[in-house]
């Protein structure tokens, strides 16, 4: 039994619809670039904090990789080095892992200080100490 003759573009699905019109294709690529870029930036900001920072970075790169070849290469590079970092960290003694954790905690605390989180939470409990105020976003 032979397969019926089908044009290759009929198998490409809904994405082929955008390729037919250059203006729609450009708009689609710009949309993918903006959405993927925003997800990537959010992931990068989230990396030092508890939660899915690296997962969001990889998701942003995966979104970008659907339309941009460079993003696919960066995604593979990032996965490879992330896996190497995790493997290296697992092989280290507990004091090295503790130092890495302390560094991450320091980044989180400094960021919370500069974003005025401590003054905000302190205000909930009636603590109006001046040293809790952020030098950037403090109200004084």
């Amino acid at each position: 039994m032979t397969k019926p003759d089908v044009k290759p573009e009929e198998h490409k699905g809904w994405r082929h619809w955008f390729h037919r019109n250059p203006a729609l294709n450009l708009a689609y690529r710009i949309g993918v670039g903006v959405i993927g870029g925003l997800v990537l930036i959010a992931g990068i900001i989230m990396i030092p904090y508890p939660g899915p920072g690296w997962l969001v970075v990889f998701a942003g790169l995966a979104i970008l990789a659907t339309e941009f070849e460079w993003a696919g290469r960066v995604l593979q590079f990032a996965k490879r080095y992330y896996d190497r970092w995790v493997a290296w960290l697992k092989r280290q003694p507990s004091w090295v892992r503790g130092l890495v954790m302390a560094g991450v905690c320091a980044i989180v605390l400094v960021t919370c200080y500069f974003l005025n989180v401590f003054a905000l939470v302190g205000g909930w409990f009636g603590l109006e100490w001046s040293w809790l105020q952020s030098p950037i976003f403090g109200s004084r």
Side-chain angles (χ1 to χ4, degrees):
M1 176 178 221
T2 61
K3 294 182 180 179
D5 291 334
V6 179
K7 295 178 183 175
E9 58 268 6
E10 291 178 17
H11 286 295
K12 293 188 180 188
W14 64 272
R15 181 63 181 103
H16 174 68
W17 188 75
F18 287 101
H19 280 297
R20 292 184 304 180
N21 184 330
L24 282 177
N25 189 45
L26 179 63
Y28 180 81
R29 287 176 59 90
I30 289 171
V32 167
V34 168
I35 291 170
L38 290 173
V39 171
L40 178 62
I41 290 169
I44 290 170
I45 291 170
M46 291 168 37
I47 286 172
Y49 302 99
W54 280 108
L55 179 65
V56 176
V57 167
F58 291 138
L61 285 171
I63 292 168
L64 290 169
T66 63
E67 285 300 310
F68 304 102
E69 186 178 324
W70 63 265
R73 291 191 306 268
V74 172
L75 178 60
Q76 294 305 318
F77 174 84
K79 281 182 181 178
R80 187 171 54 249
Y81 279 91
Y82 176 78
D83 290 340
R84 283 184 186 178
W85 165 253
V86 170
W88 176 84
L89 197 57
K90 286 180 180 178
R91 291 190 310 268
Q92 300 310 305
S94 58
W95 67 270
V96 172
R97 290 190 301 250
L99 281 176
V100 170
M101 186 180 293
V104 170
C105 287
I107 290 170
V108 171
L109 290 173
V110 167
T111 306
C112 287
Y113 173 69
F114 281 117
L115 292 176
N116 209 33
V117 171
F118 298 131
L120 175 69
V121 174
W124 296 344
F125 298 101
L127 303 174
E128 301 293 334
W129 300 331
S130 61
W131 61 270
L132 290 176
Q133 293 288 327
S134 166
I136 299 172
F137 295 110
S139 60
R140 295 178 192 171

